[in-house]
Amino acid sequence: MIYSRIVGTGSYLPPRVMTNADFAARLDTTDAWIRERTGIVQRHIAEKSQTSSDLAFEASRHALAAAGVGAEDMDLIVVATSTPDYVFPSTACLLQSKLGVKGSAAFDVQAVCSGFVYGLATADNFIRAGAAKKALVVGAEVFSRILDWNDRGTCVLFGDGAGAVVLAAGSKPGVHASILRADGSHSGMLSVPGNVCGGAVAGSPFLQMNGQAVFKFAVRVLEESARETVAAADMQLSDIDWLIPHQANVRILDATARKLGLPSEKLVVTVDHHGNTSAASVPLALDEYVRAGKIRAGHRLLLQGVGGGFTWGSNLVTL
Ligand code: ACO
């Protein structure tokens, strides 16, 4: 039996930090409102010159170094992003070129904030099927580009960044189970409903959402997905050392852990200093905890995504 295993993690945050006070200086909002409703204190914002593939490149370099392998060893590059550099080519192809290699398969996955979980499941299946031996899976976003900076209800929530993992084939799991779900009937609940047409933007280029509906939906499906994935791996929730949900809002994270009966010590929280970085949030959080020595080899992790589409899903992983 072939399994896939995470053999290295990496991440990158652009240096510029934006605090809640920076928003309060230009919008009708306060640090207290943002902290209380979201748990967010600060987020990183990319420079104008930085694209998702630039952030992905930095995160990938760190992940490859941690894994002790070269980009030339990758058979597959998957980039999860909703803020690609271009309509095409894919951000994964641009990343491949920045890494100075060619020949591997490279494509993007578009599942918004569930993108990394979808990408990891995809790469895991390539490896299990024998179609790849090593894969680079990246979540990279510059959500600052699709925010209406005058809309206090959305612009305070997000940040930019990238996270990456190297997956390698092995005889032991690794990735035990992944379950991916979607319900396109909720496409209007969270969207950027625009496109490029005839040289102009048709529709809206800005993120819009129904915050309260998103909140309720996210808590419900994160709980369902956790239970379903743990059962698919023939395990119990008590076997999980770390719950790493998509970092949208500290209240969503707390409510999910509470519903699952998991103590707060097992909940990974980085949304306070990253904001919501969409597809980058799970690998960014994973890498931060790995580098801090909190998440270690042998630990069981439940990675979870939920986002526009609506999409959601989980990967149960032994590091
Ligand atoms: N500062 C001050 N007031 C604000 C702000 C702000 N930044 N944003 C909204 N308000 C106001 C609203 O205008 C409203 O005012 P009104 O009562 O005068 O009309 C009031 O606060 C309450 O607004 P609500 O939207 O009802 O506030 P709520 O308690 O629901 O909090 C929030 C809003 C934080 C967005 C919450 O609904 C939420 O966290 N939802 C989840 C959404 C989320 O995490 N999205 C991320 C993307 S989705 C994903 O990643 C899965």
Side-chain angles (χ1 to χ4, degrees), residues 9-11 13 162-164 242-247 253 267-271 273-274 277 279-292 294-295 303:
T9 68
S11 62
L13 289 160
W242 295 98
L243 180 67
I244 315 183
H246 166 51
Q247 304 285 310
L253 304 187
L267 178 65
V268 170
V269 179
T270 54
V271 66
H273 52 287
H274 293 169
T277 56
S281 91
V282 168
L284 259 168
L286 171 63
D287 185 53
E288 182 176 304
Y289 273 56
V290 166
R291 282 175 197 268
K294 296 180 192 167
I295 293 182
L303 314 181

Side-chain angles (χ1 to χ4, degrees), residues 28-29 33 37-38 113 152-153 156 158 190 209 211-212 214-215 246 248-249 252 276 306-307:
D28 183 14
T29 189
W33 192 98
R37 304 289 178 117
T38 72
C113 306
R152 65 179 183 172
V156 301
F158 296 91
L190 173 63
M209 69 171 186
Q212 289 185 2
V214 168
F215 193 107
H246 166 51
N249 178 317
I252 294 178
N276 179 346
V306 57

Side-chain angles (χ1 to χ4, degrees), residues 9-12 53-67 69 71 77-79 95 99 136-139 162-166:
T9 68
S11 62
Y12 175 77
S53 69
D54 292 325
L55 274 49
F57 171 68
E58 296 298 337
S60 299
R61 275 198 318 120
H62 295 305
L64 291 164
V69 294
I77 298 175
V78 180
V79 175
L95 171 63
L99 288 168
L136 180 63
V137 184
V138 188
V165 302
V166 175

Side-chain angles (χ1 to χ4, degrees), residues 227 236-245 250 253-269 289 300 302:
R227 294 190 186 282
Q236 311 290 325
L237 279 165
S238 54
D239 294 325
I240 304 300
D241 295 303
W242 295 98
L243 180 67
I244 315 183
V250 92
L253 304 187
D254 287 342
T256 303
R258 205 167 44 242
K259 281 177 163 242
L260 293 171
L262 292 175
S264 57
E265 304 82 69
K266 291 188 170 186
L267 178 65
V268 170
V269 179
Y289 273 56
R300 288 246 161 85
L302 189 64

Side-chain angles (χ1 to χ4, degrees), residues 65-204:
V69 294
E72 65 283 0
D73 298 322
M74 297 303 111
D75 305 308
L76 171 66
I77 298 175
V78 180
V79 175
T81 186
S82 298
T83 47
D85 294 21
Y86 302 130
V87 173
F88 68 81
S90 69
T91 304
C93 283
L94 300 174
L95 171 63
Q96 188 201 47
S97 166
K98 284 181 184 174
L99 288 168
V101 293
K102 52 180 83 168
S104 69
F107 57 84
D108 288 0
V109 162
Q110 218 304 22
V112 201
C113 306
S114 312
F116 182 78
V117 167
Y118 265 62
L120 192 68
T122 305
D124 173 53
N125 278 303
F126 266 74
I127 289 177
R128 280 177 192 249
K133 286 203 166 62
K134 288 197 175 60
L136 180 63
V137 184
V138 188
E141 302 280 16
V142 284
F143 256 51
S144 58
R145 307 280 155 80
I146 52 168
L147 300 175
D148 175 352
W149 286 88
N150 293 313
D151 175 12
R152 65 179 183 172
T154 53
C155 71
V156 301
L157 303 175
F158 296 91
D160 300 334
V165 302
V166 175
L167 274 187
S171 54
K172 281 195 279 173
V175 179
H176 297 271
S178 296
I179 294 195
L180 309 179
R181 302 271 177 227
D183 180 350
S185 70
H186 295 294
S187 60
M189 204 153 74
L190 173 63
S191 61
V192 180
N195 59 54
V196 181
C197 179
V201 174
S204 168

